[in-house]
Amino acid sequence: VFVAATGNDSINMLVSVLCQNYDNISKVIARVNDLGHESAFKKVGVDVTVSPESTVAAYLERIITRPIVILFI
């Protein structure tokens, strides 16, 4: 597994493409800072994209819409 997690989409994409040349890397995960770039990451073979901003937004939405459930966590 290879994880590209810099704060720069260009660097994350470049190293994600380069690492695919190694046989021992079975999965590529990349941080995507600009969600507009997500489809480009998928096109070059990135298996999983992660956006910190989207993750936090989804978490905040759960807190707002279901606050009681969060109290038990």
Side-chain angles (χ1 to χ4, degrees):
V1 177
F2 179 84
V3 179
T6 73
N8 184 306
D9 284 351
S10 298
I11 293 172
N12 289 344
M13 186 174 294
L14 176 63
V15 296
S16 294
V17 169
L18 292 175
C19 79
Q20 293 175 31
N21 293 322
Y22 294 91
D23 293 332
N24 60 339
I25 295 176
S26 60
K27 182 176 273 193
V28 179
I29 302 169
R31 175 182 175 177
V32 179
N33 299 290
D34 180 346
L35 290 177
H37 297 155
E38 188 171 22
S39 62
F41 277 83
K42 295 291 186 179
K43 281 184 183 179
V44 298
V46 172
D47 299 302
V48 178
T49 57
V50 178
S51 168
E53 291 80 8
S54 292
T55 303
V56 169
Y59 178 74
L60 291 174
E61 180 182 27
R62 280 197 325 257
I63 290 173
I64 292 167
T65 58
R66 295 172 52 186
I68 299 301
V69 175
I70 301 302
L71 293 175
F72 292 109
I73 295 178

